[in-house]
Structure formats: structure tokens, C-alpha cells
């Protein structure tokens, strides 16, 4: 029943913001943050993850994210440009990486690329980088 045709799986976008909602419920978990757009206006972004049971297997629970905390989300963005996408991974304050994705992103590959290229350390809000799949 899944289709990921609505997300652009050829690229990953970094969105930095503040958690405003964490929906840890079926059928898929959603992390919502507020982040500024190019004009500085605050926009609500949604990052869709996997089913709760899958997220639990990845060490994520209903208490993993707290309203008000700052996060960096790397996601495969929606093709239509709306402020949402499929989560690849989240970097919490202090550098902890959290993965709770579904099939919209091959998270370990994307994380490795972002770490090897130093995009997490040097990246800026709204940066986009290609996803290169291993051969």
C-alpha cells in the first residue's frame, strides 16, 4: 500500500528548526518542526517516518522528541515543494542521530554521505545534496 513517488529520492534536504509536535501513532510517525523560510517567516515542516512498531525497533519511542527542542532533519523532500518529506535521519542537540524512517530514504547510506562530506557540520538550513546510491 506504500508509494514514495511523492518524495524526490534523488536528493536530501536539511531543515533546522524547533519541534512543535511529535505524533508517535499508526500508521506512520510524524515529526513536526517550525523553521524559517527564505524570508524568515516561520513554516511548519512535517517529516514522515515509519510505523511505530518499526520505529521502536530502531530505538525510537513516544518520548524521543520533546516540544521546544532544536533538531536538524535530513529528509527526501516532497516533489511539489510543500514543506514536508520522508525523514532520512534527525540530528538532536548534542549530535545524537535518530533514525525512524520507512522506505522513502535509505538512511544509513544518506547519513554516511552527509558525514563523509561534512554536510552536517558545515550545512546550513535548507541545503540540498544529491543522494548517490552505492553500486
Amino acid at each position: 500500500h506504500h508509494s514514495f513517488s511523492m518524495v524526490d529520492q534523488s536528493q536530501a534536504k536539511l531543515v533546522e528548526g524547533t519541534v512543535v509536535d511529535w505524533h508517535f501513532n499508526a500508521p506512520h510517525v510524524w515529526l513536526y518542526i517550525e523553521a524559517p523560510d527564505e524570508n524568515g517567516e516561520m513554516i511548519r515542516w512535517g517529516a514522515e517516518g515509519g510505523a511505530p512498531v518499526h520505529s521502536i525497533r530502531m530505538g525510537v519511542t513516544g518520548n524521543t522528541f520533546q516540544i521546544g527542542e532544536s533538531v536538524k532533519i535530513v529528509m527526501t523532500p516532497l516533489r511539489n515543494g510543500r514543506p514536508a518529506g520522508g525523514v532520512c535521519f534527525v540530528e538532536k542537540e548534542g549530535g545524537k542521530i535518530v533514525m525512524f524512517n520507512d522506505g522513502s530514504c535509505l538512511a544509513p547510506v544518506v547519513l554516511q554521505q552527509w558525514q563523509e562530506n561534512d554536510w552536517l557540520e558545515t550545512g546550513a538550513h535548507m541545503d540540498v545534496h544529491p543522494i548517490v546510491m552505492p553500486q
Side-chain angles (χ1 to χ4, degrees):
H1 70 271
H2 288 250
S3 171
F4 300 109
S5 62
M6 74 291 238
V7 296
D8 184 351
Q9 293 181 312
S10 72
Q11 62 178 324
K13 176 181 265 188
L14 172 65
V15 182
E16 297 182 68
T18 304
V19 173
V20 293
D21 224 340
W22 170 229
H23 291 220
F24 193 78
N25 53 311
H28 288 236
V29 302
W30 279 84
L31 179 61
Y32 294 95
I33 66 171
E34 282 192 349
D37 67 8
E38 58 277 353
N39 300 317
E41 183 181 337
M42 295 307 282
I43 302 294
R44 184 179 171 107
W45 282 81
E48 182 181 18
V53 68
H54 180 67
S55 300
I56 289 169
R57 287 185 198 125
M58 299 175 89
V60 175
T61 70
N63 295 317
T64 297
F65 298 101
Q66 303 300 315
I67 293 176
E69 76 176 300
S70 297
V71 295
K72 294 180 181 181
I73 301 175
V74 174
M75 68 174 72
T76 53
L78 289 179
R79 291 182 189 277
N80 66 9
R82 294 183 71 191
V87 69
C88 290
F89 60 88
V90 176
E91 182 182 54
K92 295 177 59 114
E93 289 183 62
K96 180 179 180 181
I97 300 296
V98 179
M99 293 185 206
F100 54 97
N101 61 298
D102 208 340
S104 64
C105 176
L106 188 55
V109 170
V110 175
L111 175 60
Q112 182 179 2
Q113 290 172 1
W114 279 69
Q115 289 174 329
E116 286 176 353
N117 291 291
D118 207 27
W119 295 332
L120 272 176
E121 284 295 316
T122 62
H125 175 60
M126 305 299 273
D127 279 356
V128 176
H129 296 285
I131 294 175
V132 179
M133 299 310 277
Q135 298 298 326

